């Protein structure tokens, strides 16, 4: 098959530590190599969405740490199959509520399936109310029964799919354009990057160094939540690209307004991997330089080479260098782009990432 994409989405309210995962995997020596690769790629355990890619991006693991019902309520995806493994309803009732299972139904494509170890009548009834055709079957191992189901097909039309042949242009060969390109390539679409200069990352994205650090807020705003989610992904991608000079970033208690702000963070509870308060002696040890200031350590912060990261993200794209766009027009055949050296391109979609 030309292109196969598997997205595995897992909701975890209490993600296991690495030590517990390794111990549980050790019972299955046949998966030792896979387990080693998997454990090495796991994200930090702070709340939010974390994504890791395997097999060149053909398998994408989406780990959502936090309350499942809360996250399902705001989720937007279409699942082909569910594994409902929330322990018995008597022991873990919050994962079998009417509202949660209605969201499971809402987020399942027509013809999608589910399987569960539990065969409780209350669960089967709620899944039926969620739109599934439910069946009780013989269980596995010591389980007497299990439950499976299929989402009733309400829409006879096939789900629309993104065509791999769609023509997408990206104007701008900096880190923003390259990041868009990387996302498209993971989805099986090869875009064309048009860059006016003779190399990628020729402007601000070509700085000698860049710092990746979260911008957190005292009130845990949505932007703060987004920032922490992005930090986990950005650090992982930078490490994969070989563009990380230094792991860990310290935000010093300086200037005075920042010291006051960070003092308030110290009075709150944050995951240590995300934000760890340091005194002046600890900062000096971590930085290797004598300091008379305290600070906050961001373990998943990075000092990176932006140019190297940009080149990594643009891998696989069709790149046109030294092409300055001087005209964009929409015609019957698509979006027409002309450059100052006489070249012309036609796209179905166009992304402007030129700064």
């Amino acid at each position: 098959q030309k292109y196969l994409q598997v997205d595995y989405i897992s909701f975890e309210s209490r993600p296991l530590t690495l030590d517990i995962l390794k111990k549980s995997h050790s019972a299955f020596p046949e998966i030792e190599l896979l387990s080693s690769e998997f454990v090495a790629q796991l994200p930090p355990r702070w709340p939010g969405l974390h994504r890791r890619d395997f097999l060149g991006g053909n398998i994408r693991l989406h780990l959502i740490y936090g309350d499942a019902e809360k996250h399902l309520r705001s989720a937007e995806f279409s699942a082909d199959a569910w594994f409902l493994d929330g322990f018995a309803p008597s022991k873990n009732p919050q994962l079998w509520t009417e509202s949660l299972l209605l969201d499971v139904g809402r987020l399942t494509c027509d013809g999608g399936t589910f399987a569960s170890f539990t065969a409780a009548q209350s669960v089967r009834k709620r899944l039926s109310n969620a739109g599934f055709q439910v069946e009780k079957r013989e269980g596995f191992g010591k389980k007497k029964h299990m439950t499976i189901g299929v989402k009733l097909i309400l829409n006879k039309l096939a789900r629309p799919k993104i065509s791999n042949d769609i023509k997408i242009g990206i104007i701008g060969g900096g880190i923003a354009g390259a990041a868009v390109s990387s996302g498209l390539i993971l989805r099986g679409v090869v875009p064309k990057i048009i860059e006016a200069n003779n190399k990628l990352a020729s402007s601000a994205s070509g700085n000698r160094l860049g710092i990746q650090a979260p911008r957190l807020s005292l009130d845990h705003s949505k932007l703060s939540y987004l920032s922490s989610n992005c930090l986990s992904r950005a650090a992982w991608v930078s490490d994969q690209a070989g563009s990380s000079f230094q792991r860990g970033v310290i935000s010093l208690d300086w200037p005075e307004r920042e010291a006051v702000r960070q003092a308030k963070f110290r009075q709150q509870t944050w995951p240590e991997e995300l934000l760890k308060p340091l005194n002046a002696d600890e900062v000096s040890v971590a930085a290797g330089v004598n300091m008379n200031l305290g600070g906050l350590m961001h373990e998943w912060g990075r000092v990176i080479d932006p140019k190297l990261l940009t080149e990594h993200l643009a891998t696989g794209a069709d790149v046109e260098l030294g092409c300055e766009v001087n005209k964009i027009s929409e015609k019957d055949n698509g979006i027409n782009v002309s450059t100052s050296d006489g070249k012309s391109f036609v796209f179905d979609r166009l992304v402007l990432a030129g700064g």
Side-chain angles (χ1 to χ4, degrees), residues 248-267:
V249 170
I250 300 173
S251 176
L252 294 174
D253 295 335
W254 183 89
E256 179 62 27
R257 63 178 182 278
E258 191 67 13
V260 171
R261 179 173 175 271
Q262 296 194 163
K264 295 177 181 178
F265 278 118
R266 287 178 164 84
Q267 298 172 10

Side-chain angles (χ1 to χ4, degrees), residues 60-335:
R60 291 198 299 250
L61 175 63
H62 308 254
L63 294 171
I64 302 175
Y65 294 161
D67 181 74
E69 185 165 12
K70 173 186 174 183
H71 287 290
L72 281 169
R73 191 181 307 127
S74 59
E76 290 294 339
F77 59 83
S78 185
D80 298 289
W82 288 86
F83 303 99
L84 302 178
D85 185 23
F87 294 102
S90 58
K91 295 181 179 179
N92 201 15
Q94 62 268 33
L95 283 184
W96 303 102
T97 65
E98 183 84 28
S99 60
L100 185 149
L101 295 178
L102 284 173
D103 277 322
V104 168
R106 174 180 65 85
L107 296 169
T108 306
C109 69
D110 289 347
T113 65
F114 80 84
S116 176
F117 284 111
T118 186
Q121 183 178 5
S122 60
V123 171
R124 287 187 279 123
K125 181 179 179 181
R126 289 167 185 170
L127 285 165
S128 179
N129 292 339
F132 290 97
Q133 182 176 321
V134 179
E135 179 182 350
K136 184 179 178 181
R137 281 191 175 181
E138 183 180 350
F140 290 96
K142 297 180 181 180
K143 289 289 295 182
K144 185 176 181 180
H145 296 108
M146 63 173 289
T147 307
I148 65 169
V150 179
K151 177 76 174 293
L152 298 175
I153 299 177
L154 303 177
N155 180 7
K156 302 298 183 181
L157 298 176
R159 285 188 295 160
K161 297 182 179 180
I162 298 176
S163 170
N164 293 350
D165 297 325
I166 189 171
K167 297 178 181 178
I168 299 181
I170 301 172
I171 298 177
I175 198 166
V180 172
S181 172
S182 177
L184 289 170
I185 289 171
L186 284 173
R187 289 161 176 79
V189 179
V190 178
K192 182 183 289 292
I193 298 176
I194 303 175
E195 167 58 42
N197 293 290
N198 293 321
K199 60 181 180 179
L200 295 173
S202 56
S203 298
S205 298
N207 287 340
R208 293 179 63 187
L209 295 175
I211 293 179
Q212 295 174 343
R215 188 60 181 173
L216 305 175
S217 66
L218 295 164
D219 62 352
H220 300 277
S221 67
K222 290 183 178 180
L223 284 176
S224 175
Y225 184 73
L226 175 64
S227 179
S228 64
N229 285 192
C230 291
L231 178 67
S232 166
R233 175 69 181 173
W236 182 81
V237 172
S238 297
D239 293 346
Q240 295 292 304
S243 62
S244 298
F245 280 122
Q246 177 67 44
R247 298 188 178 195
V249 170
I250 300 173
S251 176
L252 294 174
D253 295 335
W254 183 89
E256 179 62 27
R257 63 178 182 278
E258 191 67 13
V260 171
R261 179 173 175 271
Q262 296 194 163
K264 295 177 181 178
F265 278 118
R266 287 178 164 84
Q267 298 172 10
Q268 297 181 330
T269 300
W270 291 83
E272 191 171 278
E273 292 173 303
L274 180 59
L275 185 157
K276 180 181 179 181
L278 302 179
N279 59 36
D281 290 339
E282 291 168 329
V283 168
S284 299
V285 171
V289 178
N290 289 329
M291 302 290 293
N292 60 357
L293 293 168
L296 301 178
M297 166 65 83
H298 303 296
E299 182 180 327
W300 282 78
R302 296 290 187 268
V303 179
I304 65 163
D305 180 339
K307 183 176 181 294
L308 194 59
L309 179 57
T310 301
E311 292 171 349
H312 171 80
L313 291 170
T315 300
D318 183 7
V319 180
E320 291 280 348
L321 298 175
C323 291
E324 184 176 358
V325 175
N326 60 8
K327 186 178 181 181
I328 301 173
S329 59
E330 189 169 9
K331 299 181 180 179
D332 291 340
N333 64 338
I335 302 172

